[in-house]
Amino acid sequence: MTLSPARVPVGAHDVRRLTATLYGYSFLDEFVLLYPVYALLFADTGLSVWQMSSLFVLWSATGVLLEVPSGAWADAVSRRSLLWLGPLLGAVGFALWVLVPSYWAFAAGFVLWGARGALGSGALEALVYEELERLGAADRYARVMGRAHAAGQVATTAAMTLAGPVFAAYGYPVVGAASVLACLLTAAVATRFPEHRAAATGSEHWAAALRSGLAEARRDRSVRGALLLVPAVAAVFGALDEYTPLLARDTGVPDVAVPYLLVLIWAGVTAGSLLAGPAERLGRKGVAAVLSVCALALAVGATTRTPAGIVLVAVAFGGFQLATVLADARLQQRIEGTGRATLTSVAGLGTELATIAVYGSYAVLASTGTHGTAFALFAVPYLVTALVLYLRRE
């Protein structure tokens, strides 16, 4: 059995090293210039809409299939190793896209991209929490992870801003090369993560780690509740984000102004990440109140069909992001065994499956009504989650 290392007195230098590495990793992991233009690459290569959709399904399916096994693997081996291996897979995938653009190259890239995400999901949270716990600073987890999410969101905004002029000047080869470089730098930064946890040996392989993690969820009601809370708060707004350009266009602004409204929404999400530290003392009923207020803000903002309404949507997304970080912190605090990455990946799997369900539901709702109406109806799951949190006894 792999035992958690004994706590040592907190050292400011050690905490700074961990957090600086985490923030750099989070920024570089999202600083991919291909993100806003890869759909154009597919279209310019001659792919049909059906072929593009099949690639997205393949991407999601890869994440669903690998999410939990990769979490168990992270509990059985070095988590740091998975964090540098994942970006290398992403680099290979992006290189394939720009060097040999074709349907099968894109498919291989999406499989590698899905594997990249699965390897990092669970492993990152588990490593950061246990390193902070070892330093006696586990109470800083929500603040630290909130800032890490904010770093990633800033990187996404920066990549969206730079992709246009770089693409206009140099085309797909340079955009692709920059994306590969970002992946390689992410892998290099990942090797700097401290890890004071011995990898499992002997019979404690990934299957044993998987059984250990799932056993803790079965016997501990509070762990099960924390597992369910993560997808309940993360999945809906994470899926709705893909449709925010359509919501913004329905406000009547010209297409050239749509990106500015999207930046406003991203600013709200970033603010929610940064508020995670001060808000971690809200408690269960406090989180329920945040979800309730933000659900109402989402419904009202989406149905106004004005740019001012997008401000309310940004507020709502910021609150949902805040709740997502707090839900992750809540889960980490309740896990006591050696299956931390496994259980975090189980929560990630739940989020992936719920996200797919939202995609399907949105297609039905938006085809029979407006995008604003669809957004407003997805406020209901948050109101239900808030009610369950408020009434739940622990």
Side-chain angles (χ1 to χ4, degrees), residues 219-248:
R219 67 174 176 265
D220 192 328
R221 182 171 175 266
S222 67
V223 172
R224 291 198 302 275
L227 279 173
L228 293 172
L229 181 60
V230 173
V233 298
V236 174
F237 93 97
L240 290 180
D241 176 60
E242 301 296 333
Y243 303 102
T244 51
L246 303 176
L247 181 69

Side-chain angles (χ1 to χ4, degrees), residues 2 18 70 73 102 109 117 120 131 139 172 186-187 206 250-251 260 275 278 289 291 305 309 314 324 335 360 373 388:
T2 304
L18 172 64
S70 67
W73 191 21
S102 65
E131 286 300 313
D139 60 330
Y172 294 117
T186 305
W206 78 267
D250 276 0
T251 63
Y260 298 107
L275 288 172
L291 291 176
R305 303 184 69 178
T324 297
I335 298 173
T373 301
V388 171

Side-chain angles (χ1 to χ4, degrees), residues 24-48:
Y25 179 90
S26 300
F27 182 91
L28 290 169
D29 195 43
E30 297 294 339
F31 189 67
V32 178
L33 269 62
L34 268 174
Y35 284 174
V37 299
Y38 66 75
L40 302 179
L41 173 61
F42 298 164
D44 290 345
T45 305
L47 268 62
S48 66

Side-chain angles (χ1 to χ4, degrees), residues 141-329:
Y141 177 80
R143 182 187 310 117
V144 167
M145 291 305 293
R147 291 174 178 175
H149 283 292
Q153 288 143 11
V154 169
T156 299
T157 303
M160 292 172 63
T161 302
L162 288 174
V166 172
F167 175 67
Y170 305 105
Y172 294 117
V174 173
V175 171
S179 301
V180 170
L181 178 60
C183 292
L184 296 178
L185 291 174
T186 305
V189 170
T191 65
R192 302 297 301 165
F193 274 115
E195 185 175 28
H196 296 81
R197 169 185 173 275
T201 58
S203 62
E204 195 170 353
H205 47 73
W206 78 267
L210 176 61
R211 289 193 297 270
S212 175
L214 296 179
E216 182 173 0
R218 285 195 299 269
R219 67 174 176 265
D220 192 328
R221 182 171 175 266
S222 67
V223 172
R224 291 198 302 275
L227 279 173
L228 293 172
L229 181 60
V230 173
V233 298
V236 174
F237 93 97
L240 290 180
D241 176 60
E242 301 296 333
Y243 303 102
T244 51
L246 303 176
L247 181 69
R249 175 185 279 177
D250 276 0
T251 63
V253 299
D255 285 352
V256 293
V258 167
Y260 298 107
L261 295 181
L262 299 184
V263 169
L264 179 62
I265 293 175
W266 274 99
V269 174
T270 303
S273 296
L274 294 174
L275 288 172
E280 61 184 325
R281 296 183 181 180
L282 281 175
R284 177 169 42 82
K285 292 185 177 180
V287 173
V290 169
L291 291 176
S292 299
V293 170
C294 291
L296 295 176
L298 176 66
V300 174
T303 53
T304 59
R305 303 184 69 178
T306 65
I310 298 297
V311 176
L312 288 177
V313 174
V315 170
F317 272 43
F320 299 147
Q321 174 65 19
L322 168 63
T324 297
V325 177
L326 294 181
D328 172 46

